[in-house]
Amino acid sequence: MIDRIRPEPTAPVAIAVFDIDGVIRDVGGSYRRALADTVERFTDGAYRPTPEDIDRLKAEGIWNNDWEGSQELVLRYFESQGTDRSRVSIDFETLVDFFQSRYRGEDAENPDNWTGYICQEPLLADVPYFDRLTKAQILWGFFSGATRGSASYILQRRIGLADPVLVAMEDAPGKPDPTGLFATVKQLEERAEVSTPLPALYAGDTVADLYAVAKAAEADPSRSWIGVGVLPPHVQTTPERQAEYTQLLTEAGAKLVVKTVRELTPERVRDLLG
């Protein structure tokens, strides 16, 4: 059998937008560890959430912000002990500062001096992967709930991307609100001087990511919106947990679930376009 040879595209054919945490970098030992540290600290050592506890919170689809997620788990702990959450005093800025001291290090505002968990995050994508997308005329960028400083540190300093399109926490409401997804797509089309709406994929590892795709499709039916689920490394420890998380992402709207973002090749992107 002779393989069908597809001609090289001469104009952009699609847009691929990527979440960062759990997709471009493994945050199991960093963001999630900082979240657990924070909950433990603000419950005076009485409760440290397990990875499964954090997954259950994320599965609710509204806790994309890990600072807010930390606070919510603290409040739920005290509720479980019979204390109404309205009586629990948490200074949110103090909570954020503690979280950042664990994740970034004590000098949290200066990336040159970061010593925290962020420095050891395993990378899940590299420059050659994005070069392959570019060669296939697939525009790509990032929409993340991470801070701009954290996201830029990974994309530019660690991976080596020159000037990626990035919409971060400071730039748009948190997911599942699709505003940041729209902004990323708009910037990519403006850079490429594209006037006709292209199909857009969003690759994420949480229910909130896929809900954002669904909301984008409802708000803007002028283009095709496709959700791709990516299994974060921490759920790939057992076949059972991997299967459960795959089902979770599929039920949230993923058209395809991959074990690593590198499996979202140009060929698979074209297959998703139909």
Side-chain angles (χ1 to χ4, degrees):
M1 179 181 293
I2 298 175
D3 291 336
R4 180 163 55 94
I5 300 175
R6 304 188 193 191
E8 286 293 323
T10 57
V13 296
I15 293 172
V17 181
F18 299 91
D19 182 31
I20 294 177
D21 301 339
V23 176
I24 302 301
R25 61 180 172 188
D26 180 359
V27 296
S30 55
Y31 258 123
R32 284 170 168 260
R33 184 179 175 189
L35 189 157
D37 288 352
T38 302
V39 174
E40 186 175 43
R41 168 67 176 81
F42 283 82
T43 59
D44 297 321
Y47 169 53
R48 183 178 181 86
T50 65
E52 291 79 10
D53 291 337
I54 298 171
D55 281 343
R56 282 190 287 271
L57 182 77
K58 296 282 188 180
E60 295 175 15
I62 57 174
W63 302 107
N64 193 63
N65 183 306
D66 285 331
W67 301 336
E68 295 174 355
S70 300
Q71 178 178 251
E72 180 63 18
L73 286 178
V74 172
L75 293 172
R76 291 185 186 186
Y77 166 76
F78 283 110
E79 285 181 325
S80 74
Q81 302 303 302
T83 302
D84 190 278
R85 65 171 54 206
S86 64
R87 298 179 58 189
V88 180
S89 177
I90 302 175
D91 184 90
F92 188 67
E93 289 188 7
T94 301
L95 181 148
V96 170
D97 287 344
F98 179 83
F99 185 107
Q100 294 296 76
S101 74
R102 307 298 289 176
Y103 180 63
R104 293 183 175 183
E106 293 302 326
D107 190 359
E109 300 307 313
N110 186 354
D112 292 329
N113 294 332
W114 285 355
T115 57
Y117 302 149
I118 189 174
C119 300
Q120 286 80 46
E121 288 174 332
L123 301 178
L124 305 175
D126 53 20
V127 170
Y129 171 73
F130 295 106
D131 285 345
R132 287 192 290 274
L133 295 180
T134 299
K135 185 178 179 181
Q137 292 296 331
I138 297 168
L139 308 178
W140 51 268
F142 304 90
F143 168 40
S144 172
T147 63
R148 176 164 286 276
S150 166
S152 296
Y153 180 87
I154 292 300
L155 297 178
Q156 295 177 276
R157 290 193 180 214
R158 295 279 315 277
I159 295 179
L161 301 176
D163 183 27
V165 169
L166 167 64
V167 173
M169 176 193 291
E170 299 90 336
D171 307 317
K175 293 170 278 189
D177 188 304
T179 301
L181 185 54
F182 291 145
T184 311
V185 167
K186 181 180 179 181
Q187 289 184 46
L188 288 167
E189 289 187 332
E190 287 179 348
R191 278 195 182 188
E193 299 182 346
V194 172
S195 57
T196 302
L198 296 172
L201 295 82
Y202 185 45
D205 71 317
T206 68
V207 167
D209 295 329
L210 296 164
Y211 284 174
V213 178
K215 289 180 177 294
E218 292 175 4
D220 177 18
S222 68
R223 75 175 78 236
S224 174
W225 297 92
I226 302 168
V228 176
V230 181
L231 296 177
H234 77 272
V235 305
Q236 299 190 45
T237 53
T238 67
E240 293 77 16
R241 197 169 180 204
Q242 180 175 303
E244 290 173 359
Y245 207 86
T246 297
Q247 182 178 354
L248 182 72
L249 296 179
T250 301
E251 291 176 350
K255 303 300 182 186
L256 170 70
V257 177
V258 294
K259 291 183 179 180
T260 169
V261 73
R262 289 187 176 95
E263 293 181 2
L264 187 60
T265 60
E267 292 76 20
R268 296 190 88 168
V269 170
R270 285 197 287 266
D271 288 342
L272 286 169
L273 299 181

